[in-house]
Amino acid sequence: MVRTVNYKWYAVYVKSRAEKKALAELIFKGVDAYLPLRVVKRKWSDRVKLVEEPLLRGYLFVFVSEIEYLNVLQTPGVVGYVTFEGKAAAIPEEEIENLKIFLERNKAFVDVSYENIAKGQKVKVVGGPLEGVEGEVFELRGKKRISLRFETLGCSVFADVSLELLEKIELVNS
């Protein structure tokens, strides 16, 4: 009997400020893991430097099957899976891919908000560095921004996008 292995993306909690170390441990174990990073300016008394920091502090993502599931929990720095109703919440692969595209093309200009924001018009970016990414438009602090909502983590990722680069997505009523 041949059994197909079903891999899914999951978010895991990690110890405070241990995201990069936990990522290295998971990769060493052969687990497909992803830590979204953003570039920020850090100011010291004698200089200003651009550094990479985790986009979502305390989280990283793993692409595992039931076979590797427990192995992840036995990794130094990993606290546990993000769960809903007592069960690890799988994250759609499309959300992880959109996050990767978003950061790959716009790493230095990305913000995160954990506010519970009302949903707006669904759009697709048709030009520029975020071409092909879909999200929702919000007006924040006088700027027009696109937001990708990650329901499973309860956060939104924002980046500045010119309105002329947006195309409305018509929602189909079922």
Side-chain angles (χ1 to χ4, degrees):
M1 181 172 138
V2 176
R3 183 175 170 204
T4 58
V5 179
N6 192 10
Y7 281 81
K8 294 180 183 177
W9 282 103
Y10 296 95
V12 292
Y13 296 112
V14 295
K15 290 181 181 176
S16 180
R17 303 180 66 83
E19 297 91 352
K20 290 180 182 179
K21 189 171 186 174
L23 176 70
E25 292 282 347
L26 287 164
I27 290 171
F28 180 75
K29 286 181 163 188
V31 174
D32 189 0
Y34 172 58
L35 174 61
L37 298 170
R38 68 178 180 161
V39 176
V40 295
K41 287 183 183 178
R42 288 286 176 239
K43 186 177 180 181
W44 285 269
S45 60
D46 61 336
R47 67 189 184 284
V48 175
K49 188 175 179 180
L50 292 176
V51 295
E52 282 189 327
E53 70 175 26
L55 179 68
L56 304 167
R57 291 192 180 276
Y59 295 98
L60 58 86
F61 302 95
V62 294
F63 191 62
V64 296
S65 68
E66 291 178 14
I67 297 167
E68 296 104 345
Y69 186 87
L70 289 176
N71 192 17
V72 169
L73 294 174
Q74 298 166 347
T75 304
V78 173
V79 176
Y81 284 93
V82 174
T83 60
F84 290 102
E85 298 178 2
K87 187 176 174 191
I91 299 170
E93 191 164 358
E94 183 178 282
E95 283 191 9
I96 298 296
E97 291 307 314
N98 277 340
L99 181 59
K100 286 179 180 181
I101 291 168
F102 212 66
L103 289 172
E104 191 177 288
R105 298 181 184 173
N106 213 29
K107 193 177 275 194
F109 304 102
V110 175
D111 293 323
V112 174
S113 170
Y114 290 94
E115 297 174 32
N116 190 6
I117 299 171
K119 293 183 180 182
Q121 173 65 47
K122 294 263 187 198
V123 296
K124 180 176 183 176
V125 181
V126 295
L130 298 176
E131 184 174 359
V133 174
E134 296 181 4
E136 299 176 25
V137 175
F138 297 97
E139 187 172 339
L140 300 172
R141 297 184 292 272
K143 293 182 179 180
K144 300 291 184 179
R145 292 186 154 190
I146 185 173
S147 168
L148 288 183
R149 181 85 180 138
F150 294 91
E151 298 289 342
T152 22
L153 294 179
C155 70
S156 297
V157 178
F158 299 100
D160 293 327
V161 176
S162 174
L163 288 180
E164 51 270 4
L165 296 177
L166 301 179
E167 177 181 276
K168 286 184 181 180
I169 297 173
E170 298 299 326
L171 298 176
V172 178
N173 293 334
S174 38

